[in-house]
């Protein structure tokens, strides 16, 4: 089933950032969002993931199908790598964590506490979490931060495998991942948002 | 034409500006007449002497302390259901007024209690309940102050107001259970046996009317201020956006 | 849900401060009381039920500000919000884990601390029973407070200001039951009322806390 975004307007703290955003994400396809810092990519992703309400427009086909990964990985320093993954797998009603460990080269670290990992290793664990959710739509916010070149390749492979299995990905990133994907530049939607006006406009 | 039209901030300001002079005048008139009448032209009570006259401040303020919270509850519900900004701002505006009313009730109660019960403070159910109400008010105001985004703050404080109401009522009964008190029965009730005598009753009603009008005027005034703050924010935001558009 | 519960327990055990700190705090409160009111044994016996209840309440309050704030800061709350678990359930489960790590040890330790305060022998059973009934409500109300203040930096003090007035009914009924039993009176009525308050809190509070959390996440 497609994820369809129609005429979506999103904002933060009462200030509209993007408006008129429309796209369709089909199984097996990836969409890369581009735009400078502060242009509203994160807000758009959070809105699609259902974490904050849209100012206008609709997102359909995304409920209960999204695996969201942002700057913070939600890892617990006191738990081991495999415990962290097992927890998230259980939350999403899954049990397999070995493929995820293998895909991000974490097998050797499985018994290490997450607090003892380097920034890049933590990031890999955070991304491996996506694989144990069993969800079809990956919504990723700057997934490659603090990853080295080899890990970026691993990540791209994981995304490709996910797409090949009929999954979808919506990615905000600055670097070229080498994945065949549609590109959506969000800067074009900013001018439309300016026309929407501040949430306090009712007071004028 | 429906009442909800005044949920529009601009219309609300227009209406409140027309109504407010009358409210201020009415409040001043009622309070002057009621208090002068009550203080100087009523007989002393045969048991309580002239101390009874503090009733003209104590009862109306206590009444308004509870009614202010009730008004906040209604305004919060309207915000949750219909999301009118004015409603949330009115709830915010009423809270400090409610705090002052609670304080007046507590202080006048203490002043009255000293000669009557021989102590400034007793852990009597009514007094204790008011102290608890005071704490609820403090928490409510503190939460408004602590949350930056006004809509988030409105949502959070509305839910706190709802939950707080349930717990305030629960506390009232718990406190009753915990300690039987010294406080006299209700000064005003439908049960005439308990009621204060007529000579005290009429000026008391005038004072209550004065407090109600004063409360309304204060809340309208403060809501107006809150609306103007938000309006300024919106103007600044528009200005900033205009600047951006010109540069682009 | 079960996974979340056991994860919170494991975290409390490993990160330290879970079981231990609340209990140590409780002990310190109980030790400080004789220093502040004097070592008169009959006086201590008289105030023991109240002191034990108040100590348990404060110990419960101590760890509340980390209840949701940790998951908020490391992003886990965002991820849980997009997971199949309802937020109401998340809050309820976290409150349950909080109770097991702070409330339950307090219940178990209360009779020991009762000895320190010379609690009347008749009071022990009811004290434990009242704490057993009341502390889950304290955790759940606290979780609501934690959800309200989760987005606020240094919200700890505000959390106490918001939560403590909500603790009044539970404290009154709980301490009253313990006091009556210690004085050899019948404690059934306050115990029933306490159970009623606890039941209502546990049934309804998760919804208020979930709603508040949803507002704070957006």
């Amino acid at each position: 089933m497609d994820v369809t975004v129609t005429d979506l307007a999103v904002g933060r703290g009462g200030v509209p950032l993007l408006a008129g955003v429309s796209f369709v994400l089909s199984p097996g396809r990836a969409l890369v969002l581009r735009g400078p810092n502060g242009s509203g990519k994160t807000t758009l992703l959070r809105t699609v993931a259902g974490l904050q309400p849209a100012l206008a427009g609709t997102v359909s086909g995304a409920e209960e199908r999204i695996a969201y990964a942002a700057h913070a990985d939600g890892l617990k320093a006191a738990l081991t790598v495999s415990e962290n993954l097992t927890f998230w797998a259980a939350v999403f009603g899954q049990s397999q964590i070995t493929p995820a460990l293998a895909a991000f080269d974490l097998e050797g670290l499985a018994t290490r506490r997450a607090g003892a990992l380097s920034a890049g290793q933590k990031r890999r664990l955070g991304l491996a979490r996506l694989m144990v959710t069993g969800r079809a739509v990956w919504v990723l916010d700057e997934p490659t931060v603090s990853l080295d070149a080899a890990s970026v390749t691993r990540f791209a492979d994981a995304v490709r495998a996910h797409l090949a299995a009929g999954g979808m990905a919506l990615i905000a990133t600055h670097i070229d991942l080498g994945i065949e994907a549609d590109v959506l530049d969000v800067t074009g939607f900013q001018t439309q948002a300016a026309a929407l006006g501040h949430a306090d406009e009712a007071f004028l | 034409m429906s009442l909800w039209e005044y949920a529009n901030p601009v219309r609300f300001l227009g209406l409140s500006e027309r109504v407010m002079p009358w409210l201020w005048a009415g409040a001043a008139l009622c309070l002057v007449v009621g208090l002068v009448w009550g203080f100087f032209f009523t007989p002393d009570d045969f048991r309580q002497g002239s101390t009874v006259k503090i009733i003209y401040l104590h009862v109306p303020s206590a009444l308004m302390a509870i009614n202010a919270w009730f008004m906040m509850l209604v305004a919060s519900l309207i915000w949750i259901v219909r999301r009118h900004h004015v409603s949330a701002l009115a709830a915010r505006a009423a809270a400090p007024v409610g705090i002052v009313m609670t304080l007046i009730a507590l202080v006048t109660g203490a002043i009255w209690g000293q000669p009557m019960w021989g102590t400034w403070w007793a852990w009597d159910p009514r007094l204790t309940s008011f102290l608890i109400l005071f704490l609820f008010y403090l928490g409510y105001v503190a939460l408004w102050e602590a949350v930056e985004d006004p809509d988030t703050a409105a949502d959070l404080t509305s839910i706190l107001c709802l939950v707080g109401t349930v717990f305030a009522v629960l506390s009232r009964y718990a406190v009753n259970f915990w300690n039987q008190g010294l406080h006299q029965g209700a000064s005003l009730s439908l049960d005439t046996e308990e009621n204060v005598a007529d000579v005290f009753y009429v000026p008391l009603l005038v004072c209550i009317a004065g407090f109600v009008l004063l409360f309304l005027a204060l809340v309208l005034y403060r809501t107006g201020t809150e609306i103007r703050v938000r309006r300024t924010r919106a103007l600044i935001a528009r200005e900033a956006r205009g600047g951006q558009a010109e540069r682009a | 849900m079960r996974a979340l519960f056991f994860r919170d327990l494991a975290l409390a055990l490993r990160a330290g401060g879970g079981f231990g700190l609340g209990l140590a705090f409780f002990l310190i409160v109980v030790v400080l009381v004789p220093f502040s009111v004097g070592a008169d044994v009959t006086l201590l016996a008289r105030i023991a039920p109240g002191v034990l209840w108040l100590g348990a309440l404060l110990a419960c309050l101590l760890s509340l500000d980390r209840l949701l704030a940790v998951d908020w800061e490391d992003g886990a709350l965002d991820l849980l919000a997009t997971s199949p678990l309802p937020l109401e359930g998340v809050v309820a489960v976290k409150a349950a884990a909080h109770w097991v790590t702070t409330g339950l040890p307090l219940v178990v330790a209360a009779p020991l601390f009762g000895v320190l305060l010379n609690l009347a022998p008749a009071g022990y059973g009811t004290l434990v029973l009242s704490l057993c009934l009341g502390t889950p409500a304290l955790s759940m109300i606290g979780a609501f407070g934690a959800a309200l203040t989760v987005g606020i930096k240094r919200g700890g003090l505000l959390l106490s200001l918001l939560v403590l007035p909500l603790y009044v009914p539970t404290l009154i009924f709980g301490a009253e039951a313990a006091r009556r039993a210690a004085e050899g009176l019948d404690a059934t009525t306050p115990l029933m009322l306490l159970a009623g308050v606890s039941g209502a809190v546990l049934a309804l509070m998760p919804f208020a806390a979930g709603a508040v959390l949803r507002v704070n996440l957006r």
Side-chain angles (χ1 to χ4, degrees):
Chain A
M1 199 174 84
D2 293 347
V3 173
T4 314
V5 169
T6 319
D7 217 15
L8 193 68
V10 301
R12 188 105 194 111
V15 184
L17 295 170
L18 305 170
V21 184
S22 297
F23 58 80
V24 176
L25 195 58
S26 308
R29 303 290 303 163
L31 180 66
V32 169
L33 298 178
R34 291 206 192 278
N37 288 337
S39 57
K41 297 189 297 293
T42 297
T43 310
L44 177 59
L45 291 179
R46 286 181 65 87
T47 310
V48 172
L51 285 169
Q52 59 181 81
L55 299 179
T58 54
V59 179
S60 68
E63 305 85 14
E64 298 285 299
R65 295 178 69 210
I66 285 199
Y68 175 73
H71 311 281
D73 292 313
L75 301 174
K76 295 295 162 197
L79 300 183
T80 66
V81 169
S82 64
E83 278 172 335
N84 267 302
L85 276 184
T86 312
F87 164 67
W88 285 110
V91 165
F92 283 86
Q94 309 285 318
S95 51
Q96 276 293 332
I97 66 159
T98 14
L101 283 174
F104 286 91
D105 192 24
L106 291 164
E107 289 131 318
L109 303 168
T111 53
R112 181 146 354 149
R113 287 195 319 114
L117 298 179
S118 75
Q121 287 167 331
K122 274 186 194 154
R123 193 69 219 168
R124 264 150 60 197
L125 176 53
L127 293 170
R129 189 188 55 82
L130 291 167
M131 293 186 64
V132 303
T133 60
R135 290 268 173 105
V137 187
W138 289 5
V139 174
L140 312 175
D141 194 356
E142 299 292 353
T144 53
V145 170
S146 67
L147 288 184
D148 58 17
S151 302
V152 170
T153 318
R154 278 184 182 284
F155 167 65
D157 288 342
V159 173
R160 249 180 247 115
H162 178 64
L163 297 178
M168 294 165 249
L170 181 61
I171 309 169
T173 180
H174 288 292
I175 66 160
D176 188 20
L177 292 170
I179 305 169
E180 193 203 326
D182 308 317
V183 174
L184 187 71
D185 193 330
V186 297
T187 36
F189 302 112
Q190 285 176 311
T191 42
Q192 292 188 49
L196 261 183
H198 193 267
D200 279 355
E201 208 80 339
F203 287 95
L204 292 173
Chain B
M1 184 70 197
S2 90
L3 185 64
W4 296 118
E5 282 193 22
Y6 293 106
N8 175 296
V10 182
R11 276 168 178 278
F12 178 85
L13 275 185
L15 177 73
S16 69
E17 265 159 19
R18 262 180 291 135
V19 173
M20 246 191 304
W22 296 99
L23 288 177
W24 287 120
L29 187 72
C30 285
L31 283 179
V32 169
V33 169
L35 289 178
V36 170
W37 186 354
F39 283 163
F40 301 110
F41 299 99
T42 53
D44 289 351
D45 184 77
F46 73 97
R47 264 187 304 132
Q48 306 197 12
S50 59
T51 52
V52 73
K53 292 181 176 183
I54 206 164
I55 197 175
Y56 298 109
L57 286 174
H58 182 69
V59 171
S61 60
L63 212 61
M64 288 324 290
I66 295 170
N67 286 349
W69 185 274
F70 187 66
M71 189 223 111
M72 281 156 55
L73 173 67
V74 173
S76 299
L77 281 172
I78 293 177
W79 163 253
I80 290 175
V81 176
R82 299 194 57 129
R83 308 206 70 79
H84 294 311
H85 286 96
V86 172
S87 180
L89 293 180
R92 177 180 190 169
V97 185
I99 289 188
V100 173
M101 292 292 174
T102 317
L103 265 182
I104 294 177
L106 284 171
V107 171
T108 53
I111 294 172
W112 195 0
Q114 217 290 322
M116 284 306 104
W117 305 332
T119 170
W120 293 103
W121 181 261
W123 288 96
D124 161 271
R126 278 183 189 236
L127 273 66
T128 313
S129 303
F130 263 78
L131 201 57
I132 296 169
L133 181 66
F134 182 66
L135 295 177
F136 273 110
Y137 270 124
L138 285 187
Y140 179 86
V141 172
L143 188 63
W144 260 113
E145 295 302 319
V147 182
E148 238 166 73
D149 181 66
D151 281 0
T152 308
D155 281 331
L156 296 181
T157 51
S158 298
I159 299 175
L160 177 67
C161 187
L162 253 65
V163 173
T165 307
V166 176
F167 275 86
V169 173
L170 207 58
S171 304
R172 177 79 182 86
Y173 287 102
V175 166
N176 250 345
F177 174 81
W178 160 78
N179 196 355
Q180 304 303 326
L182 299 163
H183 200 289
Q184 55 191 298
S187 305
L188 299 175
S189 81
L190 296 176
D191 183 4
T192 42
E193 295 258 316
E194 258 191 65
N195 232 325
V196 292
D198 280 353
V199 256
F200 302 115
Y201 189 68
V202 181
L204 182 55
L205 279 190
V206 177
C207 278
I208 289 174
F211 265 79
V212 170
L213 292 173
L214 180 66
F215 172 77
L216 285 178
L218 282 170
V219 170
L220 283 186
Y221 183 72
R222 292 180 50 83
T223 312
T225 312
E226 299 284 348
I227 290 176
R228 288 191 178 90
V229 169
R230 291 289 287 273
R231 198 162 167 174
T232 316
R233 250 173 53 110
L235 282 172
I236 291 171
R238 177 184 275 185
E239 196 87 332
R241 233 186 10 260
Q244 260 175 11
E246 272 166 37
R247 257 178 281 128
Chain C
M1 297 266 218
R2 199 183 309 148
L4 182 61
F5 179 72
F6 286 114
R7 182 197 71 156
D8 271 23
L9 286 192
L11 285 176
L13 274 178
R14 279 186 220 176
F19 287 97
L21 267 186
L23 215 52
F25 179 81
F26 192 18
L27 176 64
I28 288 171
V29 170
V30 168
V31 170
L32 288 181
V33 166
F35 295 151
S36 59
V37 303
D40 177 4
V41 175
T42 44
L43 174 66
L44 284 179
R46 220 156 62 79
I47 63 172
V51 169
L52 290 170
W53 250 93
L54 192 62
L57 184 147
L58 292 176
C60 207
L61 189 72
L62 197 64
S63 50
L64 279 179
D65 63 325
R66 304 311 293 158
L67 180 64
L68 292 164
V70 176
D71 280 326
W72 165 270
E73 281 156 16
D74 67 15
L77 217 48
D78 276 348
L79 304 178
L80 283 169
T82 53
S83 80
L85 303 183
L87 274 179
E88 288 79 6
V90 169
V91 181
V93 166
K94 291 191 80 75
H98 178 263
W99 181 72
V100 172
T101 50
T102 55
L104 194 58
L106 296 180
V107 173
V108 174
L112 286 177
F113 297 167
V115 175
L116 287 180
L117 292 176
N118 203 35
L119 181 69
Y124 285 94
T126 312
L127 174 73
V128 171
L129 185 59
S130 70
L131 281 172
C132 236
L133 286 172
T135 45
L138 297 184
S139 287
M140 194 58 240
I141 295 171
F144 170 70
L148 267 179
T149 54
V150 73
I152 300 166
K153 285 187 190 70
R154 289 194 295 279
L157 210 63
L158 179 63
L159 174 68
S160 312
L161 180 62
L162 295 177
V163 163
L164 284 176
L166 299 177
Y167 276 174
V168 169
T170 318
L171 175 65
I172 286 180
F173 291 134
E176 184 74 7
R179 190 182 63 80
R180 285 195 186 182
E183 289 174 7
L185 302 168
D186 179 34
T188 322
T189 318
L191 276 178
M192 297 286 236
L193 289 167
L194 178 66
V197 170
S198 271
V201 163
L202 293 180
L204 300 175
M205 216 48 155
F207 296 98
V212 159
L213 207 51
R214 209 161 277 125
V215 169
N216 264 328
L217 277 172
R218 65 170 194 233

